[in-house]
Amino acid sequence: MRTVTIVGASLSGLYAARELRAQGYDGCLVIVGDEPHHPYDRPPLSKDFLTGRADETQLALTDTEETTELGAEWILGIRARALDARGRTVLLDDGRTVSTDGVVIATGASARRLPGDTLAGVHTLRTLDDARSLREQLTRGRCRVVVIGGGFIGAETASSCSSLGHSVTVVEAAPLPLVPQLGAEMAAVCAALHHRGGVDLVTGTGVTGLRGTTTVTGVDLTDGRTLPADIVIVGIGTTPNTAWLVGSALALHDGVLCDDGCATALPQVVAVGDVAFVGGTRAEHWTSATQQPRAAVTNLLAGRTVETATAVPYFWSDQYGARIQFAGRRTDGDTVRITEGELSDGAPAEGGFLARYERDGRMTAVLAVDRPRPFMRARRELARGAGEERVQSAPR
């Protein structure tokens, strides 16, 4: 390969660039990104950046020295429009074409939106520009904030807004937030964190619309209530950025369909990160975005799948001063028991807890709140049980 093009100047795109050079690729490297920014870390956007504890320089994932060492051509602020049927040319929105021998798709995902969310005061939180806009409004004075969606982004954002002194309500359509990930019993424990943090949690109720003419004034719920709001944050999931691939030879199914090694139907095209549907799932987590590129690049350079990217799923979340960590594959019917620590009034007691999910006497997943060391031991145990020789810890 003389030229490799990475489409997506994202976390996974940067890790793919690093892997290409680490694995000996010394050809031309082109990195295309639709945002004008060099790669930055997204997890702090809903936490330290939103609350002002971190600035933009602390989000940067590269510095001048590394940028020089990578020797890449950066094309930023330009969106990829199409990939030709053979995967040999990337067409850009400004009319340019990039001829290439290999492609790494790392275009990530976009925040889902609600009808009417063009009103002033309505925000999503996915990009640095999103976070800039929301942070600026949060500094104007005490606000009534409604967060739509009780997932990780919604919970983290609600926690940050509450810590800044705003009045916060979280609306979740499901009976409890995070049930798909944690199961009902542990989801109830994490829901208690909202109450402990002084945030109102409205569950089992959807949103019918937003009120306001030019600026949002309220959120209409399916139960007939209207929540007054100065700021609305929409956190209802994401959509993989694959529109530019329609008409290519790639299979699209909730992302770019890949095998277990991130390889697509085209031997010279791989996909990584939030846009990649790998091994039967699309994992939108920091660790997946940093672990997948190693296998993807190995397979891209080999022209076939010689390494897999499957690993024990892992994610974490920081909410209301608590660190939540989860690893494994929970399924309905698993039993869950707290093996370390305890609960207090349905919420984690001081010192947190560790809970194990089990089926037929075998651990399938583990959840910890403020128990990092026991969690890592249990995570390694899960990895051994899955036949993996090692699990890399996220450098956080």
Side-chain angles (χ1 to χ4, degrees):
M1 289 187 178
R2 297 180 178 178
T3 301
V4 173
T5 301
I6 300 172
V7 185
S10 57
L11 174 70
S12 58
L14 174 62
Y15 270 69
R18 290 171 174 170
E19 279 295 335
L20 281 161
R21 294 310 191 201
Q23 294 189 31
Y25 174 75
D26 59 2
C28 180
L29 179 58
V30 181
I31 303 175
V32 179
D34 62 345
E35 295 185 61
H37 318 292
H38 278 80
Y40 57 87
D41 206 14
R42 293 187 191 276
L45 293 180
S46 58
K47 299 183 279 285
D48 289 349
F49 182 79
L50 202 60
T51 57
R53 293 193 298 268
D55 59 25
E56 293 184 22
T57 60
Q58 293 168 286
L59 301 179
L61 292 170
T62 59
D63 55 25
T64 303
E65 182 179 356
E66 181 181 28
T67 300
T68 301
E69 289 176 351
L70 285 176
E73 176 187 357
W74 295 83
I75 304 176
L76 300 177
I78 303 295
R79 190 179 302 272
R81 184 192 302 175
L83 180 70
D84 79 333
R86 295 178 299 111
R88 299 290 186 179
T89 303
V90 177
L91 176 64
L92 306 182
D93 254 355
D94 63 0
R96 281 183 287 173
T97 58
V98 179
S99 297
T100 189
D101 302 303
V103 176
V104 179
I105 299 171
T107 45
S110 297
R112 289 197 181 110
R113 310 189 72 92
L114 285 176
D117 68 0
T118 55
L119 293 170
V122 180
H123 301 264
T124 56
L125 187 54
R126 179 73 185 177
T127 68
L128 175 56
D129 291 338
D130 291 340
R132 283 173 173 171
S133 176
L134 178 56
R135 187 167 82 164
E136 191 277 329
Q137 188 172 2
L138 288 170
T139 60
R140 296 178 190 172
R142 194 171 189 274
C143 300
R144 297 166 298 181
V145 179
V146 175
V147 178
I148 302 174
F152 291 111
I153 292 297
E156 291 173 359
T157 306
S159 172
S160 295
C161 291
S162 178
S163 72
L164 292 171
H166 299 290
S167 173
V168 183
T169 301
V170 175
V171 179
E172 169 58 52
L176 285 168
L178 303 177
V179 169
Q181 295 87 353
L182 306 181
E185 187 174 350
M186 290 296 107
V189 174
C190 290
L193 292 173
H194 290 285
H195 300 298
R196 193 169 73 182
V199 169
D200 291 332
L201 179 61
V202 178
T203 59
T205 303
V207 172
T208 59
L210 304 177
R211 292 204 174 190
T213 50
T214 59
T215 301
V216 70
T217 60
V219 177
D220 291 333
L221 305 182
T222 54
D223 63 7
R225 284 183 292 169
T226 297
L227 301 176
D230 305 303
I231 296 176
V232 173
I233 301 163
V234 181
I236 55 174
T238 64
T239 302
N241 292 326
T242 58
W244 68 285
L245 296 168
V246 174
S248 71
L250 300 178
L252 307 177
H253 174 74
D254 186 32
V256 179
L257 193 63
C258 303
D259 66 12
D260 287 350
C262 302
T264 72
L266 297 175
Q268 72 278 11
V269 179
V270 296
V272 292
D274 292 357
V275 74
F277 193 90
V278 178
T281 187
R282 187 168 66 89
E284 296 184 74
H285 301 301
W286 195 93
T287 44
S288 299
T290 58
Q291 290 175 355
Q292 289 174 354
R294 179 178 181 178
V297 165
T298 298
N299 298 332
L300 176 67
L301 296 178
R304 59 190 179 89
T305 299
V306 295
E307 184 174 329
T308 63
T310 55
V312 173
Y314 165 63
F315 61 82
W316 79 91
S317 179
D318 296 315
Q319 304 171 21
Y320 307 104
R323 165 60 63 96
I324 301 169
Q325 294 174 285
F326 183 91
R329 296 178 174 86
R330 184 203 71 84
T331 59
D332 292 340
D334 288 356
T335 59
V336 59
R337 61 189 179 93
I338 294 176
T339 58
E340 296 187 31
E342 58 185 3
L343 303 180
S344 175
D345 295 327
E350 184 177 354
F353 71 88
L354 182 85
R356 291 173 177 255
Y357 296 78
E358 298 170 335
R359 177 181 289 267
D360 299 328
R362 180 180 61 88
M363 182 168 63
T364 58
V366 60
L367 168 70
V369 176
D370 294 333
R371 291 265 173 152
R373 290 184 179 178
F375 174 82
M376 290 309 301
R377 289 195 294 268
R379 186 182 172 199
R380 287 192 292 268
E381 182 182 338
L382 275 171
R384 289 193 296 270
E388 296 180 10
E389 294 184 358
R390 63 188 178 92
V391 172
Q392 296 178 340
S393 299
R396 285 278 302 220

mmCIF file of all heavy atoms in Angstrom, residues 268-303:
data_model
loop_
_atom_site.group_PDB
_atom_site.id
_atom_site.type_symbol
_atom_site.label_atom_id
_atom_site.label_comp_id
_atom_site.label_asym_id
_atom_site.label_seq_id
_atom_site.Cartn_x
_atom_site.Cartn_y
_atom_site.Cartn_z
ATOM 1 N N GLN A 268 -9.486 -4.063 1.359
ATOM 2 C CA GLN A 268 -8.683 -2.870 1.607
ATOM 3 C C GLN A 268 -9.418 -1.823 2.446
ATOM 4 O O GLN A 268 -8.955 -0.690 2.573
ATOM 5 C CB GLN A 268 -8.229 -2.239 0.278
ATOM 6 C CG GLN A 268 -9.322 -1.538 -0.517
ATOM 7 C CD GLN A 268 -10.171 -2.490 -1.358
ATOM 8 O OE1 GLN A 268 -10.106 -3.702 -1.216
ATOM 9 N NE2 GLN A 268 -10.966 -1.917 -2.241
ATOM 10 N N VAL A 269 -10.531 -2.219 3.056
ATOM 11 C CA VAL A 269 -11.312 -1.289 3.876
ATOM 12 C C VAL A 269 -11.616 -1.939 5.222
ATOM 13 O O VAL A 269 -12.149 -3.053 5.278
ATOM 14 C CB VAL A 269 -12.635 -0.891 3.183
ATOM 15 C CG1 VAL A 269 -13.429 0.065 4.079
ATOM 16 C CG2 VAL A 269 -12.352 -0.237 1.828
ATOM 17 N N VAL A 270 -11.293 -1.233 6.308
ATOM 18 C CA VAL A 270 -11.638 -1.675 7.662
ATOM 19 C C VAL A 270 -12.391 -0.535 8.353
ATOM 20 O O VAL A 270 -12.382 0.606 7.896
ATOM 21 C CB VAL A 270 -10.381 -2.058 8.481
ATOM 22 C CG1 VAL A 270 -9.683 -3.261 7.859
ATOM 23 C CG2 VAL A 270 -9.430 -0.866 8.607
ATOM 24 N N ALA A 271 -13.054 -0.856 9.450
ATOM 25 C CA ALA A 271 -13.800 0.156 10.199
ATOM 26 C C ALA A 271 -13.537 -0.027 11.686
ATOM 27 O O ALA A 271 -13.406 -1.156 12.172
ATOM 28 C CB ALA A 271 -15.294 0.064 9.913
ATOM 29 N N VAL A 272 -13.469 1.092 12.424
ATOM 30 C CA VAL A 272 -13.185 1.056 13.851
ATOM 31 C C VAL A 272 -14.026 2.092 14.587
ATOM 32 O O VAL A 272 -14.515 3.055 14.005
ATOM 33 C CB VAL A 272 -11.682 1.334 14.135
ATOM 34 C CG1 VAL A 272 -10.811 0.212 13.625
ATOM 35 C CG2 VAL A 272 -11.251 2.671 13.520
ATOM 36 N N GLY A 273 -14.184 1.866 15.889
ATOM 37 C CA GLY A 273 -14.851 2.843 16.736
ATOM 38 C C GLY A 273 -16.363 2.781 16.671
ATOM 39 O O GLY A 273 -16.953 1.743 16.357
ATOM 40 N N ASP A 274 -17.003 3.914 16.954
ATOM 41 C CA ASP A 274 -18.455 3.962 17.101
ATOM 42 C C ASP A 274 -19.212 3.624 15.824
ATOM 43 O O ASP A 274 -20.395 3.292 15.884
ATOM 44 C CB ASP A 274 -18.890 5.361 17.564
ATOM 45 C CG ASP A 274 -18.445 5.674 18.978
ATOM 46 O OD1 ASP A 274 -17.855 4.784 19.618
ATOM 47 O OD2 ASP A 274 -18.680 6.809 19.438
ATOM 48 N N VAL A 275 -18.566 3.724 14.670
ATOM 49 C CA VAL A 275 -19.248 3.455 13.403
ATOM 50 C C VAL A 275 -19.185 1.980 13.019
ATOM 51 O O VAL A 275 -19.906 1.535 12.128
ATOM 52 C CB VAL A 275 -18.629 4.317 12.279
ATOM 53 C CG1 VAL A 275 -17.258 3.774 11.865
ATOM 54 C CG2 VAL A 275 -19.554 4.422 11.074
ATOM 55 N N ALA A 276 -18.358 1.203 13.703
ATOM 56 C CA ALA A 276 -18.092 -0.178 13.299
ATOM 57 C C ALA A 276 -19.001 -1.173 14.016
ATOM 58 O O ALA A 276 -19.087 -1.172 15.244
ATOM 59 C CB ALA A 276 -16.630 -0.521 13.565
ATOM 60 N N PHE A 277 -19.660 -2.013 13.251
ATOM 61 C CA PHE A 277 -20.482 -3.103 13.781
ATOM 62 C C PHE A 277 -19.614 -4.358 13.722
ATOM 63 O O PHE A 277 -19.518 -5.023 12.698
ATOM 64 C CB PHE A 277 -21.754 -3.260 12.940
ATOM 65 C CG PHE A 277 -22.803 -4.132 13.566
ATOM 66 C CD1 PHE A 277 -23.779 -3.599 14.392
ATOM 67 C CD2 PHE A 277 -22.826 -5.504 13.333
ATOM 68 C CE1 PHE A 277 -24.757 -4.398 14.967
ATOM 69 C CE2 PHE A 277 -23.791 -6.316 13.903
ATOM 70 C CZ PHE A 277 -24.765 -5.758 14.723
ATOM 71 N N VAL A 278 -18.949 -4.645 14.850
ATOM 72 C CA VAL A 278 -17.923 -5.690 14.895
ATOM 73 C C VAL A 278 -18.394 -6.855 15.752
ATOM 74 O O VAL A 278 -18.839 -6.660 16.887
ATOM 75 C CB VAL A 278 -16.601 -5.119 15.472
ATOM 76 C CG1 VAL A 278 -15.541 -6.218 15.567
ATOM 77 C CG2 VAL A 278 -16.100 -3.970 14.624
ATOM 78 N N GLY A 279 -18.285 -8.057 15.210
ATOM 79 C CA GLY A 279 -18.620 -9.241 15.996
ATOM 80 C C GLY A 279 -20.046 -9.259 16.502
ATOM 81 O O GLY A 279 -20.324 -9.762 17.586
ATOM 82 N N GLY A 280 -20.961 -8.682 15.732
ATOM 83 C CA GLY A 280 -22.376 -8.713 16.084
ATOM 84 C C GLY A 280 -22.843 -7.586 16.974
ATOM 85 O O GLY A 280 -23.983 -7.601 17.446
ATOM 86 N N THR A 281 -22.001 -6.577 17.187
ATOM 87 C CA THR A 281 -22.425 -5.453 18.030
ATOM 88 C C THR A 281 -21.671 -4.191 17.633
ATOM 89 O O THR A 281 -20.598 -4.244 17.035
ATOM 90 C CB THR A 281 -22.175 -5.762 19.522
ATOM 91 O OG1 THR A 281 -22.749 -4.730 20.325
ATOM 92 C CG2 THR A 281 -20.686 -5.849 19.816
ATOM 93 N N ARG A 282 -22.252 -3.053 17.998
ATOM 94 C CA ARG A 282 -21.587 -1.760 17.813
ATOM 95 C C ARG A 282 -21.344 -1.189 19.199
ATOM 96 O O ARG A 282 -22.269 -0.760 19.879
ATOM 97 C CB ARG A 282 -22.450 -0.815 16.963
ATOM 98 C CG ARG A 282 -21.756 0.490 16.591
ATOM 99 C CD ARG A 282 -22.530 1.250 15.524
ATOM 100 N NE ARG A 282 -23.809 1.708 16.024
ATOM 101 C CZ ARG A 282 -24.020 2.874 16.642
ATOM 102 N NH1 ARG A 282 -23.004 3.698 16.851
ATOM 103 N NH2 ARG A 282 -25.220 3.219 17.053
ATOM 104 N N ALA A 283 -20.102 -1.195 19.629
ATOM 105 C CA ALA A 283 -19.756 -0.802 20.989
ATOM 106 C C ALA A 283 -19.293 0.644 21.001
ATOM 107 O O ALA A 283 -18.237 0.974 20.459
ATOM 108 C CB ALA A 283 -18.659 -1.713 21.538
ATOM 109 N N GLU A 284 -20.085 1.515 21.620
ATOM 110 C CA GLU A 284 -19.757 2.938 21.669
ATOM 111 C C GLU A 284 -19.032 3.278 22.966
ATOM 112 O O GLU A 284 -19.551 4.015 23.803
ATOM 113 C CB GLU A 284 -21.025 3.779 21.549
ATOM 114 C CG GLU A 284 -21.748 3.627 20.229
ATOM 115 C CD GLU A 284 -22.940 4.558 20.146
ATOM 116 O OE1 GLU A 284 -22.747 5.777 19.978
ATOM 117 O OE2 GLU A 284 -24.072 4.070 20.276
ATOM 118 N N HIS A 285 -17.837 2.744 23.113
ATOM 119 C CA HIS A 285 -17.098 2.985 24.340
ATOM 120 C C HIS A 285 -15.643 3.311 24.028
ATOM 121 O O HIS A 285 -15.087 2.878 23.018
ATOM 122 C CB HIS A 285 -17.182 1.774 25.277
ATOM 123 C CG HIS A 285 -18.575 1.418 25.664
ATOM 124 N ND1 HIS A 285 -19.401 2.299 26.318
ATOM 125 C CD2 HIS A 285 -19.307 0.293 25.460
ATOM 126 C CE1 HIS A 285 -20.586 1.740 26.511
ATOM 127 N NE2 HIS A 285 -20.548 0.523 26.004
ATOM 128 N N TRP A 286 -15.030 4.063 24.925
ATOM 129 C CA TRP A 286 -13.661 4.536 24.763
ATOM 130 C C TRP A 286 -12.700 3.370 24.539
ATOM 131 O O TRP A 286 -11.816 3.432 23.682
ATOM 132 C CB TRP A 286 -13.275 5.321 26.011
ATOM 133 C CG TRP A 286 -12.062 6.179 25.918
ATOM 134 C CD1 TRP A 286 -12.016 7.499 25.596
ATOM 135 C CD2 TRP A 286 -10.709 5.777 26.184
ATOM 136 N NE1 TRP A 286 -10.713 7.955 25.644
ATOM 137 C CE2 TRP A 286 -9.899 6.926 26.002
ATOM 138 C CE3 TRP A 286 -10.112 4.578 26.555
ATOM 139 C CZ2 TRP A 286 -8.521 6.891 26.181
ATOM 140 C CZ3 TRP A 286 -8.740 4.543 26.733
ATOM 141 C CH2 TRP A 286 -7.966 5.690 26.540
ATOM 142 N N THR A 287 -12.878 2.313 25.301
ATOM 143 C CA THR A 287 -11.938 1.197 25.197
ATOM 144 C C THR A 287 -12.043 0.493 23.844
ATOM 145 O O THR A 287 -11.034 0.067 23.289
ATOM 146 C CB THR A 287 -12.171 0.182 26.329
ATOM 147 O OG1 THR A 287 -13.571 -0.047 26.469
ATOM 148 C CG2 THR A 287 -11.627 0.714 27.638
ATOM 149 N N SER A 288 -13.244 0.362 23.306
ATOM 150 C CA SER A 288 -13.389 -0.251 21.983
ATOM 151 C C SER A 288 -12.682 0.586 20.925
ATOM 152 O O SER A 288 -11.999 0.057 20.038
ATOM 153 C CB SER A 288 -14.868 -0.391 21.628
ATOM 154 O OG SER A 288 -15.543 -1.212 22.555
ATOM 155 N N ALA A 289 -12.838 1.905 21.029
ATOM 156 C CA ALA A 289 -12.219 2.795 20.047
ATOM 157 C C ALA A 289 -10.705 2.742 20.085
ATOM 158 O O ALA A 289 -10.041 3.005 19.074
ATOM 159 C CB ALA A 289 -12.697 4.231 20.281
ATOM 160 N N THR A 290 -10.132 2.398 21.228
ATOM 161 C CA THR A 290 -8.672 2.340 21.340
ATOM 162 C C THR A 290 -8.110 0.940 21.123
ATOM 163 O O THR A 290 -6.939 0.798 20.756
ATOM 164 C CB THR A 290 -8.216 2.851 22.724
ATOM 165 O OG1 THR A 290 -8.834 2.066 23.751
ATOM 166 C CG2 THR A 290 -8.591 4.309 22.912
ATOM 167 N N GLN A 291 -8.925 -0.084 21.303
ATOM 168 C CA GLN A 291 -8.439 -1.457 21.156
ATOM 169 C C GLN A 291 -8.641 -2.004 19.739
ATOM 170 O O GLN A 291 -7.818 -2.789 19.253
ATOM 171 C CB GLN A 291 -9.134 -2.373 22.161
ATOM 172 C CG GLN A 291 -8.717 -2.125 23.605
ATOM 173 C CD GLN A 291 -9.504 -2.951 24.606
ATOM 174 O OE1 GLN A 291 -10.443 -3.652 24.241
ATOM 175 N NE2 GLN A 291 -9.139 -2.857 25.879
ATOM 176 N N GLN A 292 -9.726 -1.619 19.075
ATOM 177 C CA GLN A 292 -10.015 -2.162 17.746
ATOM 178 C C GLN A 292 -8.951 -1.829 16.698
ATOM 179 O O GLN A 292 -8.657 -2.667 15.829
ATOM 180 C CB GLN A 292 -11.384 -1.685 17.273
ATOM 181 C CG GLN A 292 -12.547 -2.311 18.009
ATOM 182 C CD GLN A 292 -13.879 -1.703 17.604
ATOM 183 O OE1 GLN A 292 -13.933 -0.731 16.844
ATOM 184 N NE2 GLN A 292 -14.952 -2.269 18.125
ATOM 185 N N PRO A 293 -8.378 -0.613 16.691
ATOM 186 C CA PRO A 293 -7.441 -0.273 15.616
ATOM 187 C C PRO A 293 -6.257 -1.210 15.467
ATOM 188 O O PRO A 293 -5.760 -1.402 14.348
ATOM 189 C CB PRO A 293 -6.989 1.143 15.998
ATOM 190 C CG PRO A 293 -8.170 1.730 16.693
ATOM 191 C CD PRO A 293 -8.706 0.577 17.511
ATOM 192 N N ARG A 294 -5.792 -1.815 16.546
ATOM 193 C CA ARG A 294 -4.642 -2.709 16.413
ATOM 194 C C ARG A 294 -4.956 -3.869 15.476
ATOM 195 O O ARG A 294 -4.193 -4.157 14.544
ATOM 196 C CB ARG A 294 -4.228 -3.237 17.789
ATOM 197 C CG ARG A 294 -3.044 -4.187 17.729
ATOM 198 C CD ARG A 294 -2.610 -4.653 19.099
ATOM 199 N NE ARG A 294 -1.463 -5.544 19.025
ATOM 200 C CZ ARG A 294 -0.850 -6.063 20.074
ATOM 201 N NH1 ARG A 294 -1.271 -5.774 21.292
ATOM 202 N NH2 ARG A 294 0.181 -6.870 19.921
ATOM 203 N N ALA A 295 -6.069 -4.543 15.726
ATOM 204 C CA ALA A 295 -6.451 -5.666 14.857
ATOM 205 C C ALA A 295 -6.822 -5.169 13.472
ATOM 206 O O ALA A 295 -6.468 -5.796 12.460
ATOM 207 C CB ALA A 295 -7.613 -6.431 15.476
ATOM 208 N N ALA A 296 -7.536 -4.053 13.401
ATOM 209 C CA ALA A 296 -7.976 -3.534 12.111
ATOM 210 C C ALA A 296 -6.794 -3.226 11.203
ATOM 211 O O ALA A 296 -6.789 -3.595 10.019
ATOM 212 C CB ALA A 296 -8.829 -2.281 12.322
ATOM 213 N N VAL A 297 -5.771 -2.570 11.743
ATOM 214 C CA VAL A 297 -4.609 -2.213 10.938
ATOM 215 C C VAL A 297 -3.819 -3.464 10.544
ATOM 216 O O VAL A 297 -3.355 -3.587 9.404
ATOM 217 C CB VAL A 297 -3.721 -1.215 11.714
ATOM 218 C CG1 VAL A 297 -2.336 -1.098 11.078
ATOM 219 C CG2 VAL A 297 -4.404 0.146 11.761
ATOM 220 N N THR A 298 -3.678 -4.399 11.471
ATOM 221 C CA THR A 298 -3.002 -5.661 11.139
ATOM 222 C C THR A 298 -3.680 -6.334 9.955
ATOM 223 O O THR A 298 -3.014 -6.796 9.008
ATOM 224 C CB THR A 298 -3.018 -6.608 12.351
ATOM 225 O OG1 THR A 298 -2.304 -6.004 13.428
ATOM 226 C CG2 THR A 298 -2.375 -7.947 12.013
ATOM 227 N N ASN A 299 -4.996 -6.376 9.980
ATOM 228 C CA ASN A 299 -5.744 -7.043 8.918
ATOM 229 C C ASN A 299 -5.733 -6.239 7.622
ATOM 230 O O ASN A 299 -5.717 -6.808 6.527
ATOM 231 C CB ASN A 299 -7.171 -7.299 9.383
ATOM 232 C CG ASN A 299 -7.216 -8.218 10.586
ATOM 233 O OD1 ASN A 299 -6.337 -9.059 10.773
ATOM 234 N ND2 ASN A 299 -8.221 -8.061 11.444
ATOM 235 N N LEU A 300 -5.752 -4.912 7.744
ATOM 236 C CA LEU A 300 -5.677 -4.074 6.547
ATOM 237 C C LEU A 300 -4.363 -4.299 5.816
ATOM 238 O O LEU A 300 -4.332 -4.477 4.589
ATOM 239 C CB LEU A 300 -5.821 -2.602 6.946
ATOM 240 C CG LEU A 300 -5.675 -1.574 5.814
ATOM 241 C CD1 LEU A 300 -6.845 -1.695 4.841
ATOM 242 C CD2 LEU A 300 -5.598 -0.165 6.375
ATOM 243 N N LEU A 301 -3.265 -4.305 6.556
ATOM 244 C CA LEU A 301 -1.954 -4.483 5.930
ATOM 245 C C LEU A 301 -1.767 -5.902 5.403
ATOM 246 O O LEU A 301 -1.053 -6.116 4.416
ATOM 247 C CB LEU A 301 -0.848 -4.148 6.937
ATOM 248 C CG LEU A 301 -0.818 -2.687 7.424
ATOM 249 C CD1 LEU A 301 0.287 -2.484 8.463
ATOM 250 C CD2 LEU A 301 -0.641 -1.728 6.252
ATOM 251 N N ALA A 302 -2.422 -6.867 6.060
ATOM 252 C CA ALA A 302 -2.317 -8.258 5.599
ATOM 253 C C ALA A 302 -3.240 -8.551 4.415
ATOM 254 O O ALA A 302 -3.026 -9.523 3.681
ATOM 255 C CB ALA A 302 -2.648 -9.208 6.746
ATOM 256 N N GLY A 303 -4.272 -7.734 4.242
ATOM 257 C CA GLY A 303 -5.227 -7.965 3.164
ATOM 258 C C GLY A 303 -6.241 -9.037 3.475
ATOM 259 O O GLY A 303 -7.028 -9.437 2.620
#
